[in-house]
Amino acid sequence: YETIGYDLNFTVDFLKRKYPDKIWIVSDFDSSPNEVDLVICADVIEHVINPTNLLNFIKKMNPKHIVMSTPDRDLLYEKLGRPYLGPPVNSHHIREWSYMEFKNYINHFFEILQHISIEKEYGQMIYCKLK
């Protein structure tokens, strides 16, 4: 199998040096990505100012399978006592979703096949496909 990684310019430069045998592409969400079978978007969406742009970019890849994960604000609040409302404690996160908020948001773009809570990681994962 072949892997393709999309990221910001400075990260792609680092990854090309560290893993020169892999394909790394700078993405601005406006480009036309390669078609792929599987997209793994692990703990990315909470860092993006406009996550709709990210999800539309994923749709342009025409994947058969999509796996997305992000922190679960419900678990961060319940297990770690973090504030439920207001900006995330992690200054690198733009937004953190509750379990239901994330499900409802992703459902606008993709057909959700499975949504699970990952309590020991304070996270959630959605397996979905194009509608």
Side-chain angles (χ1 to χ4, degrees):
Y1 60 90
E2 178 179 74
T3 62
I4 302 170
Y6 289 91
D7 213 316
L8 301 174
N9 193 34
F10 64 93
T11 306
V12 167
D13 289 343
F14 167 78
L15 292 168
K16 282 182 176 181
R17 287 191 306 276
K18 185 161 181 155
Y19 306 101
D21 57 328
K22 301 295 181 189
I23 300 170
W24 304 104
I25 300 173
V26 175
S27 174
D28 59 7
F29 299 150
D30 292 325
S31 61
S32 296
N34 297 17
E35 284 199 11
V36 299
D37 293 323
L38 168 67
V39 169
I40 299 172
C41 189
D43 292 345
V44 172
I45 195 167
E46 66 272 11
H47 297 274
V48 178
I49 291 173
N50 187 344
T52 296
N53 292 341
L54 170 63
L55 299 179
N56 285 328
F57 185 72
I58 291 170
K59 286 172 75 171
K60 289 193 285 185
M61 293 179 190
N62 198 30
K64 294 179 182 80
H65 309 276
I66 305 157
V67 177
M68 304 183 72
S69 65
T70 192
D72 182 338
R73 192 175 75 232
D74 292 333
L75 293 175
L76 293 171
Y77 173 76
E78 178 186 323
K79 306 283 186 187
L80 298 178
R82 290 189 180 175
Y84 195 75
L85 301 175
V89 171
N90 184 328
S91 63
H92 299 287
H93 291 183
I94 305 299
R95 172 169 184 168
E96 294 169 346
W97 286 267
S98 70
Y99 188 86
M100 287 307 298
E101 287 170 342
F102 192 55
K103 179 179 181 178
N104 290 336
Y105 182 63
I106 297 303
N107 194 48
H108 288 291
F109 297 87
F110 305 108
E111 179 184 341
I112 297 173
L113 302 171
Q114 187 175 16
H115 185 193
I116 63 170
S117 178
I118 309 167
E119 287 195 34
K120 66 181 178 180
E121 299 291 328
Y122 311 107
Q124 55 186 314
M125 188 270 310
I126 286 180
Y127 168 54
C128 54
K129 67 179 186 176
L130 297 176
K131 288 187 173 186

